[in-house]
Amino acid sequence: MTGGERFAKLGHLINGQIVRNGKTFPVNDPSTGKMFADCPEATDELLAEAVDAAGRTAASWAALGLGGRQKVIGAMAAALDQHITDIVAISTLEKGSVRGSAEAYAASFFMKHAAGTEVPVDVVEDNEQRSVVVVRKPVGVVAAITPWNAPILILCEKIATALLLGNTVVAKPSPFTSLATLALGELWKDIVPPGVLNIVAGGDELGAALVNHPTVRMVSFTGSVAAGQQIARSAGASLKNILLELGGNDAAIVLPDVDVDTVAEQIFNIAFLMSGQTCAAIKRLYVHRSIFEPMVAALARLAEADQPARNGADGALDPLTTLPQYQRVRMILDDAIERGAHAAAGGHALDRDGYFMAATILTDVTTDMKVVAEEQFGPLLPVIPFDDVDDAIAAANATEYGLSGSIWTSNIAMGAELASRLDCGTTCVNSHAEVAPHIPFGGTKISGAGRTGGRQGLDAYAELQTQYIYKSPERVRT
Ligand code: NAD
């Protein structure tokens, strides 16, 4: 089957059927900058059908029970494993990533974890007179809205957790990376009961219409702060539950007692994973002045060695996934250079097709430059010297963002104490960007509301019901 024929088969998943309505929007390959496929675009009527189907099946899906739901989620993961090459091929084209396979395997791992997860019941009291327990009930119809930077992993994590708790789902992927999501819908069509999982592709307006739909009871959103704020406003008007995983401007602080080359390599790999397009990438690096020059030199050597990749072939450097993101990162770089920053490596877009930029290490940066003050979400790392670690902590915390942060040191006790002073949802000593299905993850301040992962991540997709059971109808109330 040619690529064109493969994509022409894709459609929205609505009430167990693949639906194509003739309306489409173009999808670009970021490694060439050229359009390579048309993606189906859902109308408001199709969106309404999808939400209605999810609403109609909510009770029967919840009634299936935990074991039945786990079985379905396990079968979805197995189908993903079986067709992973096809999903990765599509995702690599639309996302431009060389690590598409890693994301898809992580997605399968998260689904399998959900398939084996028990939903806890909290026994608050159990005595002769009464028992008091807290159980987790489904919220109802969940809107799962996903971004372009990790479209498969984030989608699978949201869907698996929502379904596990007994919710039904309407998912809407980013318009930049909808094809792999629609291909997953095609895969799961005959595994999930009709209406339990629906997938509609379209732009930001379709996402806004989904959030506003009165049948939707929860919005699970991962994406930009601006969209998260709009969603919080409209979901707030009807008091829908929200889970918001938004942007970050993570700081890492390196103390003078580390082995510079080893730590430089680890930090480089985290900061430049997917060309910096990960929410919890290291986006500001504070280095003790005594090791500042060797650290910059080591990072610059790694950056110079990082070569661009094309459609998953050789090389490690991904393109920026979208044209607007490419233009924004170039603007942030220009802003820094115009105001006196120095590129120790990179500092330019690549002279080739596609949205590639050289891995860039910036020094002589100031706090008012966009590359320090904002989430750059690209292959630019500002490196800033400090003399006093208290000043570094204060600088790390001087941001509206609060996703994660890290301290790098051989003195683990001191590292743990310093890390606890970082104002963010996750802190690490000698690591960064840690995400796992059994561990809570999320942001403080404008980086989000609520947590995915772990017990807290289950609760995000549930309504807690407190149940009092008195063991005799003749009790005397005191
Ligand atoms: P985006 O906000 O532009 O879009 C994300 C999704 O929301 C898309 O599907 C889009 O169509 C939809 N959308 C946009 N406006 C909407 C609205 N008003 N109502 C409903 N839906 C709307 O984000 P993006 O550019 O795709 O993703 C990049 C951002 O995502 C970065 O800021 C990154 O840090 C963040 N992100 C955060 C995490 C996390 O876990 N905290 C993980 C990955 C990405």
Side-chain angles (χ1 to χ4, degrees), residues 146-149 172 204 207-208 221-224 227 230 246-247 279 375:
T146 52
W148 46 258
N149 72 319
K172 196 216 72 78
D204 298 354
F221 172 78
T222 302
S224 62
Q230 284 176 22
L246 310 178
C279 54
E375 177 186 45

Side-chain angles (χ1 to χ4, degrees), residues 431-448:
S431 184
H432 204 112
E434 295 275 350
V435 182
H438 62 297
I439 299 174
F441 177 83
T444 61
K445 301 192 272 184
I446 63 168
S447 288

Side-chain angles (χ1 to χ4, degrees), residues 145-150 154 172-176 202-211 219 221-228 230-231 234 244-248 277-280 283 322 325 375 377 401 403 441-443 447 452:
I145 303 177
T146 52
W148 46 258
N149 72 319
I154 293 171
K172 196 216 72 78
S174 164
F176 295 102
D204 298 354
E205 328 67 52
L206 189 75
L210 176 58
V211 170
V219 182
F221 172 78
T222 302
S224 62
V225 171
Q230 284 176 22
I231 288 169
S234 60
L244 301 176
E245 297 287 338
L246 310 178
Q277 299 169 106
T278 50
C279 54
K283 290 170 184 154
T322 78
Q325 186 61 16
E375 177 186 45
F377 221 57
Y401 291 95
L403 198 53
F441 177 83
S447 288
T452 60

